[in-house]
Amino acid sequence: MNHPEERVNALDIRGLRLHLPGAARPVLDGVDLTVAPGETVALVGESGSGKSLTSRSALGLLPPGATTGGSVLVDGEDVLTMGPDRLRALRTGRAAMVFQDPRAAVNPLRRIGDFLTEGVRRTGVLGKADADRRAAELLDAVGLGPELLRRYPGQLSGGMLQRVMIAGALMGDPVLLLADEPTTALDVTSQAEVIALLGQLRERFGTGLLFVTHDLGLAAAISDRVHVMYAGRIVESGPAEALFERPRHPYTAALLAATPRLDARPGRLAAIDGQPPDLRQDLTGCAFAARCPYATGLCHEEAPGPWPVACHHPLEGNPADD
Ligand SMILES: Nc1ncnc2c1ncn2[C@@H]1O[C@H](COP(=O)(O)OP(=O)(O)OP(=O)(O)O)[C@@H](O)[C@H]1O
Ligand SMILES: [Mg+2]
């Protein structure tokens, strides 16, 4: 039975497995992740950990030849079983994505106004007059004037263009906004503005936000909850503050140590030693064991359970008897 007062999650990923042709093991291996309406959740991890594949799965954007297991529910509906028409409607309606490089996401020959309205008009979500009105409203919401509707992408700075992208993502009134490294291509000032803007919009429109970043500091600044991903698995999840102050997975701790802090001296950025495991190799045991200072024989033999910390020897409160 459906209870009308019960709010469905904006995003509900359960046991998502994704296998790519030629890989020896799943590139996503049992990912569980939820985003409630109006909630901001960050997905953090090194390059290649599977963050983009996870967030793109919410739009049904899978690499060619990918096979999947588990489910990816957006607003209660499984994206993995949707046909092409439903997917198209989803992408201009209930879910939308803001990408890393706004320049790469627009046609430089189309005016901003056309870019904003074409998706919802093509799928019939809005008629022309309503689409134009909403485009002007949303430009205003992202702090830009209506004169921009007639401009071309080349006439805008990167920061302005990313605001336009965010306005575009909100055109279909989505329950879920996916932002994949949305500030990486921007200068520091625009980065801060875009982060602040995403926070405001989330409150104003009640949109659930999945924020993908390799920067744990940024994740903590913007999100309610953080999921840390390593080699296609979520290794630790929790409130941003707790993760920041008391990381329990050695990988989270290493990631934190590699995060530049405001009070850090320049040149103090540490990298995590070693490399994530290659997809062409099968894995036994913990995927982080080869790089982990705390790894024991057990870690090399047996994969740790997933929740709340996928580690045989979590930090802090680590019982002396293990
Ligand atoms: N279209 C694809 N075809 C083949 N392999 C892919 C494809 N997309 C991603 N992969 C592989 O899947 C793994 C995870 O990729 P993904 O893009 O999700 O990582 P990411 O965490 O977003 O990294 P980054 O921080 O660099 O963006 C990587 O090993 C990558 O090489
Ligand atoms: Mg990525």
Side-chain angles (χ1 to χ4, degrees), residues 20 27 45-54 63-64 100 180-181 212 214 279:
L20 296 173
V27 59
E46 274 172 297
S47 187
S49 55
K51 306 180 299 293
S52 294
L53 288 176
T54 302
Q100 178 171 337
D180 193 346
E181 304 267 8
V212 172
H214 61 270
L279 268 180

Side-chain angles (χ1 to χ4, degrees), residues 93-247:
R94 283 177 292 170
M97 186 171 282
V98 178
F99 295 94
Q100 178 171 337
D101 181 2
R103 296 253 178 245
V106 285
N107 179 343
L109 304 176
R110 304 269 287 155
R111 290 179 200 274
I112 298 301
D114 294 328
F115 164 76
L116 288 175
T117 56
E118 64 198 357
V120 286
R121 289 186 58 194
R122 193 176 52 236
T123 48
V125 174
L126 295 176
K128 176 166 169 45
D130 286 337
D132 287 346
R133 198 174 315 123
R134 180 142 178 92
E137 269 170 26
L138 285 171
L139 271 189
D140 182 60
V142 299
L144 300 172
E147 71 282 359
L148 256 64
L149 290 169
R150 302 200 54 75
R151 301 242 175 99
Y152 289 92
Q155 297 173 295
L156 274 62
S157 71
M160 286 165 92
L161 203 54
Q162 193 62 305
R163 287 163 179 266
V164 169
M165 295 298 123
I166 293 168
L170 294 172
M171 280 296 289
D173 200 11
V175 293
L176 177 67
L177 186 61
L178 305 148
D180 193 346
E181 304 267 8
T183 63
T184 311
L186 306 179
D187 62 74
V188 176
T189 313
S190 308
Q191 275 184 18
E193 285 169 6
V194 165
I195 294 296
L197 178 65
L198 284 170
Q200 288 160 18
L201 294 175
R202 185 251 316 232
E203 273 184 28
R204 173 160 165 195
F205 296 102
T207 314
L209 176 63
L210 182 67
F211 189 87
V212 172
T213 176
H214 61 270
D215 183 339
L216 201 47
L218 199 55
I222 193 173
S223 62
D224 305 311
R225 287 188 298 127
V226 177
H227 293 287
V228 180
M229 187 166 229
Y230 187 75
R233 294 175 186 160
I234 304 239
V235 296
E236 182 168 12
S237 305
E241 240 170 73
L243 276 197
F244 215 83
E245 278 165 22
R246 238 175 326 106

